[in-house]
């Protein structure tokens, strides 16, 4: 009998795979279509659960498709990362300390990019 916990994927890996499948698609996907794109190794119920959680987090939108739903990402990868950064910032009462620590740990190149973006000189995309 195998150790099921050893077979589990790291937290976020399944969500990342599902989002990657949605980003690569030309339109909305059903859980069955996502399952197929991911290689069919996950149960459809697992894929549906992941999509439901992503919907609750606002990372995907859904619309009726037959008896179920079809899903589309609400943002591209950069937008999702920015949303996560905002969420992390909002969790701490001392925003100044968090931002200060974040900026102090930027590479020189990232610091220059951030400075240019704040000065309106860079392109955010």
């Amino acid at each position: 009998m195998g150790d099921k916990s050893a077979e589990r994927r790291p937290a976020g890996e399944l969500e990342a795979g599902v989002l990657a499948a949605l980003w690569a698609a030309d339109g909305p996907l059903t859980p069955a279509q996502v399952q197929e794109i991911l290689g069919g190794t996950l149960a459809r119920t697992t894929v549906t659960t992941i999509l439901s959680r992503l919907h609750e987090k606002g990372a995907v939108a859904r619309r009726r498709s037959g008896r179920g739903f079809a899903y589309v990402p609400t943002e591209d990868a950069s937008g999702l990362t920015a949303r996560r950064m905002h969420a992390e910032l909002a969790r701490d009462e001392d925003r100044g300390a968090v931002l200060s620590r974040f900026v102090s740990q930027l590479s020189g190149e990232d610091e220059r990019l951030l400075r240019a973006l704040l000065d309106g000189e860079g392109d955010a995309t």
Side-chain angles (χ1 to χ4, degrees):
M1 190 162 166
D3 181 9
K4 291 285 185 192
S5 64
E7 298 171 16
R8 294 189 74 121
R9 296 180 189 185
E13 184 179 316
L14 293 176
E15 286 185 2
V18 168
L19 283 168
L22 292 172
W23 286 323
D26 291 332
L29 296 177
T30 65
Q33 291 168 320
V34 172
Q35 178 192 31
E36 184 178 327
I37 290 169
L38 296 176
T41 58
L42 296 173
R44 190 175 321 161
T45 55
T46 301
V47 174
T48 301
T49 298
I50 294 164
L51 287 163
S52 295
R53 289 181 180 161
L54 288 169
H55 181 258
E56 289 170 10
K57 294 177 182 181
V60 300
R62 67 184 183 191
R63 66 176 192 211
R64 279 276 172 208
S65 176
R67 294 185 344 204
F69 293 100
Y71 296 83
V72 295
T74 57
E75 301 178 272
D76 62 9
S78 297
L80 184 60
T81 299
R83 179 195 295 236
R84 288 177 179 155
M85 291 169 70
H86 280 285
E88 288 299 319
L89 182 60
R91 288 184 187 157
D92 200 295
E93 290 181 21
D94 191 350
R95 295 171 73 94
V98 173
L99 286 169
S100 176
R101 180 75 50 94
F102 176 76
V103 170
S104 72
Q105 295 175 357
L106 290 174
S107 68
E109 182 179 335
D110 286 343
E111 185 177 343
R112 285 186 291 281
L113 176 58
L114 181 58
R115 193 171 307 279
L117 290 168
L118 290 172
D119 290 342
E121 298 169 12
D123 183 3
T125 56

